[in-house]
Amino acid sequence: MSEMACDKHKETFVLNMGPQHPATHGVLRVKLVMDGEYIVEAEPVLGYIHRMHEKMGENRTWAQFMPNMGRLDYLGALSYNHGYAAAVERAAGIAVPERAEYIRVMTVELNRISSHLLWMGAYLLDLGGFTPLLYAFDDREKILDMLERVTGSRLTYCYFRFGGLYNDVDDQFLAEAKGFVARLRSRLPMYHTLVTKNVILMQRLKGIGVIDADMCRRYGVTGPVARGSGLNYDVRKNEPYSVYPQFDFDVPVYTEGDSMARYMVRMDEIEQSLRIVEQAIDGLPDGPVMAEKVPKIVKPPKGDYYHAVEAARGSFGVRLVSNGTNTPYRMKLRSPTYSNLSLLAEVAKGVTVADAVAFMGSLDLVIPEIDR
Amino acid sequence: MGGYFKEIFDGVHSLVTGMGVTLKYLFQPVVTEQYPYVAPTMPDRFRGHIELVGDEETGATKCIVCGMCQKACPSGCITVAGEKVEGVKGKVLTKYDLDFTKCSLCGICVESCKPGAITFSKEYNLAGLRKEAYIYDLKKRLEERKR
Amino acid sequence: MNPEIIRVVGYVVAVIAFVALNAAMLVWMERKVAGHIQRRIGPKEVGPFGILQSFADGIKLMTKQLIVPEGADVLLFKVAPMLVMIPAIMCFVTIPFSEQLAARNINVGLLLIFAIASVNVFALLLGGWASNNKYAVISAARAVSQNVAYEIPMLITAITVVMFTGTMNLQEIVLGQAGGFWNWNIFPVGKNIGMVVVMPISFLIFFICSMAETNRAPFDLGEAESELVAGFHTEYAGMGFGLFFLGEYANVFIGCSLSVILFLGGWQGPFGLLPGVHWFLLKVYFLIFVVMWMRWTFPRTTFYGLLNLSWKILIPISLFNLVLTGAFIKVF
């Protein structure tokens, strides 16, 4: 921490927000130098839930690392499954059957919706509104139930395999998913009446934590945060993977760069994800869900591979270095919120605690993913 | 001046419509599951801790002690041992321990099992006071179920 | 023994019992309202419909140790929770529940309540400061400036009522609203047609201010658990926290009963029928329900948003109201 903290003559004091604080959603610690209610300096301190996932990857086989992907971003675990599976498939040259890709996209988008719903609720909780959280959980519960039936777990999914899926979906899942799309479509106006249009919420979010596009580029910010600052970057569109090019969906972009813009991006993304899910259900092809020629022990040829996917919080990239054995030589996981969090130090300067909380919440932080 | 009053009016209007939403839900039935009174049923694919499958007729284990599950487990929580017995082809299972403290319920062991000797249990009420309570002797559990 | 002393002691005991019991019931009610708004059940295990939940909580709080944090000002730290409770109980003395049911009929009852209720904020400041906790200090500073900002519009609107009714005696204010709902101060069609414009706005301002005064959501900046952990009572455990909690509900009750007395006709029935304590309690509990309903609907405001609301909207409008009241009393 800087001299500011130690200077007795300046009337500042150090406030520890976290590692146990209701607004940090996990074990993030933010050291704040405060001048009264105003923040002079903010410094995020990481490492409280560091589990060495990257090192673990170097010590187990390619397939054995799969369960770890559910433990990074536990709210959008399927995107991470997808990112890792796709990276290894690219490395080993495994082609995935189309039905499997469709189901991957469908479940990933459902997972994205559940993640955004939870974010919306938790964000409102940060802002002091309790009820939207429970309403969002009501909807999210439906997604969890559906995914539980298919994948066998509710949160830390381990559903994708190299070359396809662990299990096929059944008709009941498709019917439920269809029903859910209709249900959430009818519920979204309620969220907008209760939350989005609320004058208190607008007053708390508009003009708070403004990030411009240039700053996003400097920090490598991706996902809804970048799209809220006018950067039209979505991995699904810019570096298309899987079967995303076959779907018709928009990338919501807002140029204001404030917390409200980020909020609106996520709310609009829910609608777009619903569109994708709907199209995926309608166009789901028949066929196997597992590629035929997947070697029992995957050994990607020597080389350096990278694959990025659009997770709920931004671009998640897996960089694999293979030396041709059954364990990775190096596994680098690029997690979006790590970059997004680094904005905090710059943006939080000179704002009040309440606004810093409103800004931090709008970044949608998931701490285990930052620390890995 | 007009903008001032419009702002106030819009603000009040948004607050009142918001209250309308919560009032509507106040009179709607609750949606929470009353857990200890109404226990949920686990779906077929629910991944609980693993369990040995008994043969439908004899109730004996299908395990052939190939050790694939032990090798496949990312966390090393399965210990399998077997021995040769006169007159029986292959090995006979003598020990199948699951260290549930390390298990992450990924299910790779079940997938790797060729004879289908292990499956997921549907147990979710797992609470205990001591670490030792989570070292499951699956062979013993199978024999107990057989009785 | 002097019967007057017995009467006073009897009243004090009754008031304290009422405050405690009422707060317990309000906590239960809050949790039920919150639960059903959020489509949950709320407390249901202790007693029928969980009605005894607050008593169970109370027993738990009382059995807990009162931890005094290191570096705290021990005396002030222990005095602060009592300072929350004492003014709350004292305010009850002047509140007329019905024509006969009032501890003391004082001719400046309204003034007395405002005077005593202001002590409440002093307790929050002391509690926050004495805890030797940075979050608590920030919260205490917030609570004080919030109370100062909201006392002004509240008093101005109270003045409009006093001008209109011509008395500060709460009993007389209610008696002046007898007859039917057209005589109530919120919509006094029967008394002064001009005031029909002023009074509903005055009521809204008064109600909002009384919510801000009691640190209720959406103005709960002092507690603001997602920013300041628990605000001024972060360091309080056991019954120290319990008293802050009880005090909050007692203050909510006082705020709502003042609104009822000043604007909604106190114990008078809507059609002049059967005036009595039941009408008073019905109205007060309805207002308390509204307070809870708002808490579980809205997010929290920010500090500057709160001050903006007070200085840019509530104070100008209440001043304008005051001028209008003067004019209407003269004209009609």
Side-chain angles (χ1 to χ4, degrees), chain B residues 77 98-104 130-136:
Chain B
C77 46
L98 170 70
D99 183 356
F100 193 55
T101 56
K102 292 187 203 158
C103 177
S104 56
R130 284 160 64 246
K131 195 179 162 192
E132 291 74 38
Y134 294 102
I135 316 282
Y136 297 134

Side-chain angles (χ1 to χ4, degrees), chain A residues 336-358:
Chain A
T337 31
Y338 182 77
S339 317
N340 294 4
L341 174 71
S342 34
L343 289 167
L344 181 70
E346 192 170 327
V347 176
K349 249 176 212 160
V351 304
T352 59
V353 184
D355 288 345
V357 167

Side-chain angles (χ1 to χ4, degrees), chain C residues 245-272:
Chain C
F245 209 60
L246 283 183
E248 180 184 325
Y249 283 99
N251 282 326
V252 169
F253 189 89
I254 291 166
C256 288
S257 41
L258 260 192
S259 305
V260 167
I261 290 166
L262 294 184
F263 294 97
L264 298 178
W267 66 80
Q268 309 285 2
F271 297 97

Side-chain angles (χ1 to χ4, degrees), chain A residues 48-269:
Chain A
Y48 285 90
I49 192 163
H50 189 65
R51 291 148 300 164
M52 300 178 287
H53 275 299
E54 290 177 2
K55 190 74 191 163
M56 273 163 100
E58 295 165 19
N59 287 297
R60 39 185 68 181
T61 64
W62 299 90
Q64 281 179 341
F65 190 62
M66 200 67 190
N68 286 47
M69 301 322 283
R71 271 82 184 170
L72 295 177
D73 179 355
Y74 52 85
L75 299 177
L78 278 172
S79 317
Y80 284 67
N81 273 233
H82 198 176
Y84 179 63
V88 176
E89 280 154 10
R90 181 177 279 176
I94 303 169
V96 183
E98 201 173 18
R99 183 177 170 90
E101 284 289 13
Y102 264 76
I103 295 170
R104 279 184 181 184
V105 166
M106 204 190 309
T107 47
V108 163
E109 292 304 320
L110 280 174
N111 201 202
R112 187 191 312 279
I113 296 169
S114 85
S115 167
H116 281 347
L117 280 174
L118 182 102
W119 167 80
M120 195 265 275
Y123 189 35
L124 262 288
L125 206 61
D126 282 354
L127 301 175
F130 300 87
T131 305
L133 176 80
L134 275 290
Y135 293 170
F137 262 57
D138 185 11
D139 285 329
R140 181 172 172 266
E141 192 65 21
K142 300 279 176 295
I143 300 180
L144 294 191
D145 284 346
M146 278 190 298
L147 291 180
E148 187 188 14
R149 272 197 61 250
V150 173
T151 68
S153 46
R154 291 172 72 79
L155 206 66
T156 49
Y157 308 109
C158 177
Y159 180 45
F160 301 163
R161 296 288 181 270
F162 307 137
L165 305 168
Y166 169 39
N167 264 324
D168 198 357
V169 299
D170 51 6
D171 290 338
Q172 193 188 337
F173 172 78
L174 296 178
E176 277 176 6
K178 209 155 199 174
F180 175 78
V181 170
R183 175 196 156 100
L184 192 60
R185 283 228 172 99
S186 69
R187 293 261 293 184
L188 277 174
M190 180 277 284
Y191 287 120
H192 288 306
T193 326
L194 178 65
V195 182
T196 316
K197 289 179 190 155
N198 188 301
V199 66
I200 301 175
L201 185 94
M202 283 200 220
Q203 172 225 327
R204 288 217 54 179
L205 298 191
K206 278 204 173 143
I208 300 302
V210 180
I211 310 164
D212 55 26
D214 176 54
M215 204 167 149
C216 287
R217 287 201 191 89
R218 266 193 289 133
Y219 282 96
V221 170
T222 48
V225 182
R227 288 194 284 278
S229 302
L231 274 186
N232 189 355
Y233 179 76
D234 187 318
V235 185
R236 290 174 294 177
K237 288 270 189 200
N238 293 50
E239 289 173 57
Y241 58 95
S242 188
V243 283
Y244 277 111
Q246 298 178 22
F247 296 114
D248 171 34
F249 66 99
D250 302 322
V251 178
V253 176
Y254 285 76
T255 49
E256 290 89 347
D258 56 2
S259 299
M260 192 70 192
R262 294 187 277 278
Y263 172 88
M264 288 312 294
V265 166
R266 293 204 178 87
M267 293 309 274
D268 290 358
E269 260 179 31

Side-chain angles (χ1 to χ4, degrees), chain A residues 264-337:
Chain A
M264 288 312 294
V265 166
R266 293 204 178 87
M267 293 309 274
D268 290 358
E269 260 179 31
I270 292 179
E271 279 172 50
Q272 297 305 326
S273 292
L274 287 177
R275 275 177 69 192
I276 298 174
V277 172
E278 204 170 36
Q279 290 169 44
I281 299 169
D282 292 340
L284 184 67
D286 285 334
V289 292
M290 197 68 193
E292 273 161 30
K293 284 183 201 149
V294 183
K296 223 167 139 200
I297 295 163
V298 181
K299 281 184 187 169
K302 227 171 178 181
D304 198 334
Y305 310 93
Y306 184 79
H307 194 289
V309 292
E310 183 72 21
R313 280 152 198 83
S315 161
F316 167 65
V318 181
R319 183 188 167 205
L320 305 170
V321 181
S322 169
N323 54 2
T325 59
N326 65 347
T327 52
Y329 175 74
R330 171 81 173 99
M331 166 106 51
K332 161 74 188 156
L333 307 169
R334 190 249 177 233
S335 71
T337 31

Side-chain angles (χ1 to χ4, degrees), chain C:
Chain C
M1 214 152 89
N2 190 341
E4 179 64 16
I5 292 174
I6 295 171
R7 202 182 74 92
V8 167
V9 170
Y11 266 123
V12 168
V13 171
V15 164
I16 292 175
F18 178 75
V19 171
L21 207 66
N22 182 54
M25 288 325 291
L26 286 183
V27 173
W28 173 79
M29 179 176 159
E30 171 113 52
R31 292 174 67 172
K32 273 288 184 199
V33 169
H36 281 277
I37 278 182
Q38 299 172 348
R39 313 193 69 184
R40 303 181 284 116
I41 290 185
K44 64 166 204 168
E45 293 293 334
V46 194
F49 303 105
I51 203 156
L52 299 175
Q53 183 68 50
S54 318
F55 298 100
D57 289 347
I59 291 169
K60 187 199 85 174
L61 283 176
M62 274 186 250
T63 51
K64 287 206 160 186
Q65 187 190 358
L66 239 181
I67 300 163
V68 181
E70 203 179 296
D73 189 321
V74 181
L75 181 70
L76 293 184
F77 186 79
K78 288 190 170 164
V79 164
M82 291 176 222
L83 262 184
V84 177
M85 215 48 208
I86 292 168
I89 292 171
M90 277 166 78
C91 284
F92 273 92
V93 169
T94 52
I95 288 178
F97 286 77
S98 78
E99 200 162 358
Q100 289 81 33
L101 205 64
R104 205 93 181 91
N105 188 13
I106 304 167
N107 60 356
V108 286
L110 189 58
L111 193 64
L112 189 79
I113 284 186
F114 280 123
I116 296 173
S118 310
V119 177
N120 182 35
V121 62
F122 193 54
L124 304 189
L125 178 63
L126 281 186
W129 185 76
S131 319
N132 188 28
N133 178 311
K134 289 162 186 169
Y135 287 113
V137 172
I138 295 178
S139 149
R142 276 183 181 192
V144 171
S145 44
Q146 176 183 342
N147 272 49
V148 170
Y150 277 83
E151 206 107 293
I152 300 167
M154 193 172 186
L155 286 174
I156 295 174
T157 36
I159 291 173
T160 57
V161 178
V162 172
M163 277 166 74
F164 182 54
T165 54
T167 174
M168 277 206 216
N169 186 330
L170 296 177
Q171 202 100 357
E172 282 173 27
I173 289 177
V174 177
L175 284 174
Q177 303 178 56
F181 67 86
W182 50 89
N183 280 339
W184 293 358
N185 280 342
I186 186 172
F187 212 62
V189 198
K191 288 198 286 188
N192 185 330
I193 200 78
M195 291 301 280
V196 171
V197 192
V198 176
M199 276 310 191
I201 298 170
S202 286
F203 170 70
L204 264 185
I205 294 176
F206 191 87
F207 191 57
I208 291 170
C209 290
S210 64
M211 252 196 305
E213 281 271 306
T214 45
N215 287 322
R216 286 290 298 188
F219 306 109
D220 58 342
L221 297 178
E223 270 180 65
E225 64 287 306
S226 55
E227 296 152 24
L228 302 179
V229 189
F232 48 82
H233 54 58
T234 307
E235 295 284 355
Y236 281 92
M239 216 45 209
F241 164 74
L243 280 180
F244 273 115
F245 209 60
L246 283 183
E248 180 184 325
Y249 283 99
N251 282 326
V252 169
F253 189 89
I254 291 166
C256 288
S257 41
L258 260 192
S259 305
V260 167
I261 290 166
L262 294 184
F263 294 97
L264 298 178
W267 66 80
Q268 309 285 2
F271 297 97
L273 297 169
L274 294 168
V277 67
H278 50 279
W279 283 116
F280 180 78
L281 289 180
L282 202 69
K283 289 173 199 169
V284 169
Y285 280 112
F286 175 73
L287 280 191
I288 291 174
F289 166 72
V290 174
V291 169
M292 289 171 180
W293 178 15
M294 288 172 94
R295 170 170 181 189
W296 297 105
T297 306
F298 302 138
R300 184 184 308 117
T301 56
T302 47
F303 195 62
Y304 44 82
L306 182 95
L307 293 183
N308 275 346
L309 176 68
S310 168
W311 292 100
K312 287 187 182 163
I313 296 176
L314 296 185
I315 292 183
I317 291 181
S318 58
L319 278 175
F320 186 65
N321 259 357
L322 189 67
V323 175
L324 272 187
T325 311
F328 285 140
I329 290 174
K330 228 23 191 180
V331 174
F332 294 100

